[in-house]
């Protein structure tokens, strides 16, 4: 019967289907252009702080965003030199989210992790961090937070969460007062 | 001849079953680290480099930025306590209490993650804005019709997803210990 001779092809098809499924799941994050990092990196220039407009009904840049959050982004490329991110102290909750190119949050913190009331973060590659640490004076305490970026490109999200609707302008001022700029290793 | 038919059949089966499974996993699924507590679910690792490949694929397609442990914990629900899908046509009472946090917010979205306009221009409540009972518990009424107290308006035509975000909470490092008594219930009341 010729039909029974199709069985091996059927199993071969299902086996190949399983492989196609696993491969497509694994490569999807690196080829997707709909991920948050790709969307945010397309919005503004590299290594510059950009405050985003307030999320409005049906006009949010990112789905499932918190409408109480004032948001600024800093698309980065630290191939040439590390990035310095600073945010002054304030009453509003402030969070930093570090996302790498190709997707994936590699670090996040809130202003609970502040040093002397303000957030002072240096984002660097592995090699840059080694140089920075090699240059550290021995008798001085480090007052900055150093974060290793697994990849040289990505985006930093700076968000301030207003505790009441009337305080939203304070949250907006808080993110607008943040800064992000490339900084040469001293 | 039979081998040619077989070959094309195998390619067809491989493409439809393999890519079909991927489509289902990405559009209807979630990662493996999802924890369910009552009507709510949370995926503490979603969006991070430590999340599983399925979770990564889902996030890469949805464009969301999940809340990660350094910021706090997010709880999401699209079902009431009876297991029925949430809808803008019904009134729900979200009541109970939450683990300690510096601030929490409750936001109503449609299933695409957008919020709908309403005459009150309210899409969210924060822990500082709500009126509470003497024991610290709260009751928020999610409804397309005007309600007294903490009223979160929704569009009657919308699908409904509720998200609670706990900012700076110790609960983000002990998700497995979250009990149903520590998070709010979602009770369905009248429907239009």
């Amino acid at each position: 019967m010729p039909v029974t001779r199709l069985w091996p092809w059927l199993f071969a098809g299902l086996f190949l289907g399983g492989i196609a499924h696993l491969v497509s799941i694994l490569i999807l994050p690196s080829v997707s252009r709909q991920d948050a990092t790709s969307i945010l990196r397309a919005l503004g220039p590299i290594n510059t702080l950009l405050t985003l407009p307030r999320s409005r009904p049906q006009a949010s840049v990112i789905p499932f965003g918190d409408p109480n959050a004032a948001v600024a982004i800093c698309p980065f490329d630290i191939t040439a030199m590390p990035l310095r991110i600073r945010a002054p102290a304030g009453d509003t909750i402030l969070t930093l989210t570090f996302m790498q190119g190709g997707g994936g949050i590699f670090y996040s913190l809130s202003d609970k992790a502040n040093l002397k009331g303000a957030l002072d973060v240096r984002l660097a590659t592995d090699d840059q961090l080694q140089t920075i640490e090699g240059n550290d004076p021995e008798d001085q305490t480090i007052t900055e937070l150093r974060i290793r970026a697994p990849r040289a490109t990505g985006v930093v999200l700076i968000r301030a969460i207003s505790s009441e609707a009337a305080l939203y302008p304070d949250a907006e001022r808080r993110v607008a007062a943040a800064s992000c700029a490339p900084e040469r290793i001293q | 001849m039979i081998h040619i038919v077989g070959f094309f059949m195998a390619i067809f089966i491989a493409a439809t079953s393999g890519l079909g499974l991927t489509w289902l996993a990405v559009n209807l699924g979630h990662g493996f680290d999802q924890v369910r507590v009552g009507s709510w679910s949370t995926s503490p690792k979603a969006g991070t480099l430590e999340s599983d490949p399925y979770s990564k694929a889902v996030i890469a397609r949805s464009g969301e930025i999940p809340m990660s442990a350094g910021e706090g914990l997010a709880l999401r629900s699209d079902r009431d306590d009876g297991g029925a899908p949430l809808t803008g046509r019904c009134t729900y009472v979200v009541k109970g209490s939450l683990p300690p946090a510096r601030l929490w917010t409750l936001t109503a979205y449609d299933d695409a993650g957008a919020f709908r306009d309403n005459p009150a221009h309210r899409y969210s409540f924060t822990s500082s804005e709500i009126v509470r009972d003497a024991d610290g518990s709260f009751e928020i009424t999610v409804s397309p019709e005007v309600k007294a107290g903490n009223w979160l308006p929704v569009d009657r035509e919308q699908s409904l997803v509720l998200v609670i975000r706990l900012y700076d909470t110790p609960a983000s490092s002990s998700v497995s210990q979250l009990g149903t008594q520590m998070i709010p219930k979602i009770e369905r009341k009248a429907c239009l």
Side-chain angles (χ1 to χ4, degrees):
Chain A
M1 283 291 284
V3 174
T4 56
R5 288 169 63 194
L6 285 174
W7 280 111
W9 288 108
L10 176 77
F11 287 116
L14 287 175
F15 179 70
L16 282 176
I19 292 173
H21 169 60
L22 292 177
V23 169
S24 57
I25 285 286
L26 290 173
I27 63 167
L28 212 154
S30 48
V31 298
S32 175
R33 290 289 162 265
Q34 294 173 354
D35 66 290
T37 312
S38 304
I39 294 169
L40 294 176
R41 278 180 67 85
L43 294 179
I46 294 294
N47 299 341
T48 309
L49 190 84
L50 173 74
T51 49
L52 299 188
R54 186 174 189 172
S55 317
R56 292 205 323 275
Q58 318 232 282
S60 308
V61 179
I62 295 292
F64 290 104
D66 192 335
N68 305 291
V71 187
I73 57 164
C74 177
F76 66 83
D77 185 343
I78 53 170
T79 314
M81 59 183 106
L83 189 74
R84 170 80 67 185
I85 302 126
R86 281 202 177 98
D91 296 329
T92 326
I93 295 181
L94 189 90
T95 68
L96 296 185
T97 312
F98 295 83
M99 303 193 293
Q100 66 175 21
I105 297 168
F106 61 87
Y107 204 92
S108 70
L109 71 147
S110 78
D111 59 350
K112 246 181 149 179
N114 68 60
L115 296 157
K116 293 180 186 167
L119 278 173
D120 184 8
V121 177
R122 189 125 70 137
L123 183 70
T125 62
D126 220 1
D127 290 350
Q128 290 164 353
L129 266 185
Q130 282 182 18
T131 315
I132 292 168
E133 280 164 9
N135 294 353
D136 276 343
E138 277 180 19
D139 53 347
Q140 237 177 328
T141 43
I142 310 302
T143 56
E144 63 184 14
L145 181 67
R146 291 168 182 172
I147 298 173
R148 191 184 71 85
R151 293 183 193 167
T153 60
V155 60
V156 186
L157 225 78
I158 299 151
R159 288 185 279 195
I161 322 298
S162 66
S163 57
E164 288 169 41
L167 297 177
Y168 189 82
D170 287 349
E172 272 183 323
R173 275 194 289 276
R174 183 108 206 255
V175 293
S179 64
C180 99
E183 189 181 279
R184 208 168 285 284
I185 301 172
Q186 300 295 323
Chain B
M1 180 62 191
I2 192 90
H3 288 305
I4 295 168
V5 172
F7 176 77
F8 283 106
M9 186 182 87
I11 296 294
F12 178 75
I13 289 171
T16 48
S17 66
L19 302 181
L21 266 181
T22 300
W23 188 90
L24 285 174
V26 169
N27 288 287
L28 305 175
H30 50 76
F32 289 116
D33 79 327
Q34 195 187 60
V35 179
R36 290 203 67 91
V37 194
S39 305
W40 304 88
S41 66
T42 181
S43 305
K45 283 189 190 154
T48 66
L49 303 186
E50 291 85 42
S51 62
D52 61 86
Y54 281 90
S55 173
K56 280 182 183 155
V58 170
I59 298 297
R61 285 279 296 174
S62 72
E64 280 175 57
I65 304 172
M67 203 164 177
S68 50
E71 298 159 281
L73 183 76
L75 299 163
R76 186 187 288 210
S77 178
D78 56 6
R79 309 242 150 209
D80 63 29
D81 281 354
L86 298 179
T87 148
R89 293 185 176 280
C90 296
T91 294
Y92 300 93
V93 175
V94 180
K95 73 178 195 190
S97 50
L98 279 163
R102 223 166 125 199
L103 175 78
W104 58 255
T105 64
L106 169 74
T107 310
Y109 301 92
D110 61 20
D111 57 8
F115 36 89
R116 299 288 183 99
D117 204 4
N118 59 67
H121 301 298
R122 180 176 277 289
Y123 320 105
S124 182
F125 265 107
T126 74
S127 48
S128 315
E129 288 171 333
I130 54 159
V131 181
R132 291 166 199 257
D133 291 340
D135 64 352
S137 68
F138 61 86
E139 228 181 90
I140 296 173
T141 309
V142 183
S143 175
E145 292 175 314
V146 180
K147 299 286 172 188
N150 305 314
W151 171 48
L152 184 56
V154 289
D155 182 348
R156 68 181 60 187
E157 298 304 323
Q158 78 173 90
S159 51
L160 183 57
V161 178
L162 296 175
V163 177
I164 294 176
R165 291 186 175 83
L166 298 148
Y167 288 95
D168 272 341
T169 174
S172 60
S173 55
S174 53
V175 172
S176 55
Q177 288 163 29
L178 269 184
T180 46
Q181 75 286 354
M182 295 159 80
I183 56 162
K185 292 181 165 49
I186 306 175
E187 288 174 5
R188 191 172 76 181
K189 303 289 182 188
C191 293
L192 294 171

